[in-house]
Amino acid sequence: MKYALVTGASRGIGKAISLRLAAKGIPVVVNYLKNKDAAEAVVAQIQEAGGMAELLPFDASQPSEIEKALDAWEEAHPDDHIYILVNNAGIRRDNVMFMMSDDEWHSVLDTTLNGFFYITRRLLKHMMPRKRGGRIVNVASLSGLKGLPGQTNYSAAKAALIGATKALAQEVAPRGVTVNAIAPGFIETDMTKDLAEEELRKLIPMGRFGKPEEVAALVEFLVSDGAAYITGEVININGGLYT
């Protein structure tokens, strides 16, 4: 059976993606780090709707945790494999650069960029052999395309993720694996609730923040058979703010 692994899936965009994929009949592995109650609620919501889901906690910035968790999952699923990977885990530690601490810099890059590397490298071992194929979607950001003040760390991590997407797509295309990135703008999630939404809306041609479900719909398409010839792309979803 082909599974989808969504990292950082206990809330926001990750939650919406998990619900959307499960509604299409795809079994979903819901990853989380700290918020177990919220992650369990996502799994329960999927199961109540008739879908399949299970929890897989690990810290995306810690390679040993990732290896241990995926080893255990594969042991429990000898006849299954993860065909879809959505690298969504990420954190914000905003600060102006001259006041930014080492921890604020490294923690953001460790989760977003290094997490992508550790998890994707591990799962490619099973996507690549025998042209089994796979779908990888990396959740980047508007910040990684245009840069945003106070987010040098976050912008650096997301911009690097975009570059990695383009390079990896070329490496794995012969094996039937597609790799794409999406770059959401301002989306209604916990990560944006501390922003000045009233003012920011004025900058967005559509005049509103996006919804997690709209981002999830894009991911659903990119992991479908209909998107089998799309790879190495970065797709904006920002209401026209940056095109």
Side-chain angles (χ1 to χ4, degrees):
M1 189 175 290
K2 295 178 178 179
Y3 277 73
L5 168 61
V6 183
T7 65
S10 63
R11 56 184 181 167
I13 290 173
K15 173 183 177 181
I17 292 169
S18 297
L19 295 174
R20 185 90 183 197
L21 296 183
K24 290 295 177 182
I26 300 168
V28 178
V29 181
V30 175
N31 162 255
Y32 71 96
L33 175 57
K34 295 177 180 176
N35 201 336
K36 184 179 181 181
D37 289 346
E40 287 179 336
V42 174
V43 170
Q45 189 174 343
I46 289 171
Q47 292 174 343
E48 285 165 13
M52 292 177 60
E54 60 188 84
L55 295 177
L56 190 66
F58 60 76
D59 184 342
S61 70
Q62 299 298 320
S64 59
E65 280 193 34
I66 293 164
E67 292 290 333
K68 185 177 178 182
L70 290 174
D71 283 348
W73 187 88
E74 287 168 359
E75 242 180 76
H77 297 78
D79 299 321
D80 306 320
H81 67 282
I82 292 171
Y83 178 80
I84 296 166
L85 169 61
V86 181
N87 286 302
N88 171 70
I91 60 172
R92 274 178 49 212
R93 299 281 302 277
D94 295 356
N95 206 344
V96 290
M97 189 170 181
F98 83 96
M99 294 180 64
M100 187 174 288
S101 68
D102 290 355
D103 182 61
E104 287 171 332
W105 174 265
H106 288 294
S107 61
V108 170
L109 268 75
D110 283 347
T111 299
T112 298
L113 183 58
N114 293 344
F116 149 79
F117 170 67
Y118 298 138
I119 299 164
T120 307
R121 178 182 62 179
R122 175 64 170 72
L123 292 180
L124 279 173
K125 292 177 182 178
H126 298 285
M127 292 181 182
M128 298 282 281
R130 300 183 300 280
K131 293 192 177 181
R132 179 179 275 176
R135 299 282 184 270
I136 299 169
V137 178
N138 299 320
V139 181
S141 170
L142 169 72
S143 187
L145 289 167
K146 72 181 292 291
L148 291 174
Q151 290 192 341
T152 305
N153 49 1
Y154 191 72
S155 293
K158 294 297 189 179
L161 187 60
I162 288 169
T165 296
K166 291 175 176 289
L168 181 61
Q170 296 174 66
E171 291 181 14
V172 300
R175 295 289 182 166
V177 180
T178 66
V179 188
N180 292 288
I182 61 171
F186 296 109
I187 308 296
E188 293 175 354
T189 67
D190 289 349
M191 283 188 79
T192 59
K193 66 182 180 183
D194 60 333
L195 301 179
E197 184 172 344
E198 196 80 18
E199 292 301 309
L200 290 170
R201 279 180 177 177
K202 297 173 185 176
L203 305 174
I204 304 169
M206 284 192 176
R208 66 174 178 87
F209 277 21
K211 302 179 187 302
E213 292 76 15
E214 292 170 317
V215 180
L218 174 56
V219 173
E220 179 199 338
F221 169 67
L222 288 174
V223 304
S224 71
D225 291 342
Y229 201 56
I230 299 173
T231 196
E233 292 300 316
V234 182
I235 303 176
N236 293 322
I237 178 163
N238 57 39
L241 176 60
Y242 184 79
T243 57

